Amino acid sequence: MRRRLTVAAAAAALLVSAGPLPVAGAEGAVAVAAGRWGTHEAESFWTPERMASARPLPPGPAEPRAAAPQDAVAPEPPVDPVDPAAPSDPSAPGVPVPMAPVAPAPPFPPLPPGEPDEPDEPVRPVDPSPVTTPSPSASPTTPMPKPTPTPVTLPAPAPVRPALPRIPAAGPGVGQDFGGLPVVGRMFLVKGGGSYFCTASVVASPGRNLIISAAHCLTGADTQQVAFVPQYTRAKPRPFGMFPVLRTAAGRSKIWIDQRYRTQGVNRAAALDVAFAQVGPGPKGFRVQDVVGGNRLVTGAGYAHARATLIGHPSAAARPRLCVNRTTKYTSTDSRIPGSFLRIACTGYPGGTSGGPFLLRLDGRTGTGDVVGVIGGWKTGGDRPDVSYSSYFGADIRKLYEKAVAGAKAS
């Protein structure tokens, strides 16, 4: 995933390299072993013990990374619900995220001021709602035949979402472990015989069945048994069940990655380090977005944001981590890794957080926001656990999302 390995962690992680993405089939689907892979198979394979023993996915053979040193894991404290009446941060109008008064932050590596932010395209939120056309009205003089009653089978009621955990209060740039949000979770996968994970989140779509993560998490013909677990914690490893990444009849996982990321590699194509995947229903037959909600994809929003929320699953931590800080534009001066990226200083984001969303306007009541980035891009998210990066969400990412929507609809 991201961050450099210590010697001890390298030995423990049993790292394997991420192979190149094979030639795309159906809009970039990654080839995997044939065979059925549904919710039952996913939950039978990814037992709580196997999920707990999974390691952060290394980014590739050149610079394997692992977690920063971790303290002993304490028992997970009880989660307090969000107070609907809690006030928003007055410095961020229209962002209803419950926050306590900001305390002085401990020192962390400061970011340079950044470059002037001049987006090359207008902000374009993606509308996940399918277009509907109203039917023409009948003439008032034309008698309408009485419809024949037909039996109607009503779907099961949608699941009731539990109260959201309280969003921790801390100074800008200070990462805090918390109970997680339903819309974000761990994405588990098998690669080279090892069990690994990255972070992923649900992105709103017409099919209500797409997740977004980093492309470097899903490259390689040996990437198999991929499944998404919303709001994973060690204490509650499957609070909403498990949602398998679907396969085609030919056994290819339904994953969409820009073809240039495969041909150019993780460095030359770092600006395209984004992937979408289609997941099947959970154990009760509901689509993932119906169960946990979805973040709205926003493209063309620029690089500089006064308040962004970063969420990821760090290394062997028992719970996910949340941090709020500003983002700035970073343009690489390394010719081997060209491009401009979103950058944020947030403490404690080592291996495992790849694919974690950059969220704007996070709503503390719904637990969803606008996703404008995922941890990845420059050095697959950065080479220090306290500064993270994302590929810029521009026209290329919007086109990739549209391909995923079309591909998921066609299935």
Side-chain angles (χ1 to χ4, degrees), residues 160-247:
V160 177
R161 299 175 193 166
L164 295 171
R166 184 175 296 279
I167 296 175
V174 180
Q176 296 285 307
D177 293 344
F178 78 128
L181 296 177
V183 77
V184 184
R186 277 195 185 189
M187 180 178 66
F188 293 93
L189 55 101
V190 170
K191 185 186 290 286
S195 298
Y196 299 99
F197 72 88
C198 282
T199 302
S201 57
V202 182
V203 60
S205 68
R208 309 180 73 80
N209 57 1
L210 290 182
I211 60 174
I212 185 172
S213 188
H216 72 263
C217 292
L218 292 166
T219 56
D222 58 344
T223 302
Q224 303 179 38
Q225 281 86 30
V226 188
F228 174 65
V229 182
Q231 202 173 355
Y232 171 89
T233 64
R234 189 166 301 165
K236 296 180 180 179
R238 291 195 296 226
F240 299 97
M242 186 171 287
F243 297 81
V245 170
L246 294 179
R247 297 176 178 176

Side-chain angles (χ1 to χ4, degrees), residues 70-177:
Q70 296 287 322
D71 296 330
V73 175
E76 185 171 1
V79 173
D80 296 324
V82 171
D83 180 3
S88 307
D89 180 357
S91 66
V95 185
V97 181
M99 298 290 289
V102 175
F108 56 85
L111 290 178
E115 303 170 21
D117 185 25
E118 298 180 358
D120 54 3
E121 55 180 308
V123 174
R124 180 171 175 178
V126 176
D127 181 6
S129 303
V131 176
T132 58
T133 303
S135 58
S137 302
S139 169
T141 60
T142 303
M144 298 296 292
K146 185 176 181 179
T148 303
T150 55
V152 176
T153 302
L154 296 177
V160 177
R161 299 175 193 166
L164 295 171
R166 184 175 296 279
I167 296 175
V174 180
Q176 296 285 307
D177 293 344

Side-chain angles (χ1 to χ4, degrees), residues 21-399:
L21 182 68
V23 176
E27 298 295 350
V30 177
V32 297
R36 177 170 172 78
W37 181 246
T39 305
H40 175 73
E41 291 76 17
E43 292 194 338
S44 297
F45 181 82
W46 289 111
T47 63
E49 295 75 20
R50 179 168 276 155
M51 287 190 286
S53 65
R55 301 298 186 208
L57 185 72
E63 297 184 47
R65 302 177 190 141
Q70 296 287 322
D71 296 330
V73 175
E76 185 171 1
V79 173
D80 296 324
V82 171
D83 180 3
S88 307
D89 180 357
S91 66
V95 185
V97 181
M99 298 290 289
V102 175
F108 56 85
L111 290 178
E115 303 170 21
D117 185 25
E118 298 180 358
D120 54 3
E121 55 180 308
V123 174
R124 180 171 175 178
V126 176
D127 181 6
S129 303
V131 176
T132 58
T133 303
S135 58
S137 302
S139 169
T141 60
T142 303
M144 298 296 292
K146 185 176 181 179
T148 303
T150 55
V152 176
T153 302
L154 296 177
V160 177
R161 299 175 193 166
L164 295 171
R166 184 175 296 279
I167 296 175
V174 180
Q176 296 285 307
D177 293 344
F178 78 128
L181 296 177
V183 77
V184 184
R186 277 195 185 189
M187 180 178 66
F188 293 93
L189 55 101
V190 170
K191 185 186 290 286
S195 298
Y196 299 99
F197 72 88
C198 282
T199 302
S201 57
V202 182
V203 60
S205 68
R208 309 180 73 80
N209 57 1
L210 290 182
I211 60 174
I212 185 172
S213 188
H216 72 263
C217 292
L218 292 166
T219 56
D222 58 344
T223 302
Q224 303 179 38
Q225 281 86 30
V226 188
F228 174 65
V229 182
Q231 202 173 355
Y232 171 89
T233 64
R234 189 166 301 165
K236 296 180 180 179
R238 291 195 296 226
F240 299 97
M242 186 171 287
F243 297 81
V245 170
L246 294 179
R247 297 176 178 176
T248 66
R252 300 172 69 86
S253 290
K254 306 198 77 173
I255 297 166
W256 290 265
I257 297 172
D258 194 295
Q259 180 69 8
R260 290 167 290 179
Y261 195 80
R262 178 194 70 85
T263 57
Q264 298 176 22
V266 299
N267 286 329
R268 292 293 304 172
L272 300 169
D273 192 2
V274 179
F276 296 94
Q278 181 183 357
V279 296
K284 296 183 179 180
F286 294 107
R287 297 171 296 185
V288 67
Q289 189 177 329
D290 292 329
V291 176
V292 301
N295 296 315
R296 185 176 64 160
L297 181 72
V298 175
T299 62
Y303 298 84
H305 304 287
R307 182 187 178 88
T309 301
L310 190 67
I311 301 176
H313 283 263
S315 186
R319 301 190 295 161
R321 172 159 287 217
L322 176 144
C323 169
V324 177
N325 206 353
R326 66 187 179 98
T327 64
T328 60
K329 182 179 182 180
Y330 173 74
T331 299
S332 172
T333 58
D334 187 341
S335 60
R336 298 169 300 174
I337 315 175
S340 295
F341 307 88
L342 274 72
R343 176 177 54 180
I344 189 170
C346 277
T347 58
Y349 283 75
T353 57
S354 272
F358 285 59
L359 298 176
L360 305 182
R361 294 172 285 278
L362 175 61
D363 189 327
R365 296 172 178 81
T366 67
T368 61
D370 295 343
V371 58
V372 294
V374 294
I375 296 178
W378 191 77
K379 293 192 176 181
T380 60
D383 55 2
R384 289 186 291 158
D386 294 340
V387 180
S388 299
Y389 299 80
S390 169
S391 302
Y392 178 64
F393 279 20
D396 289 327
I397 305 306
R398 183 173 66 249
K399 291 176 183 177

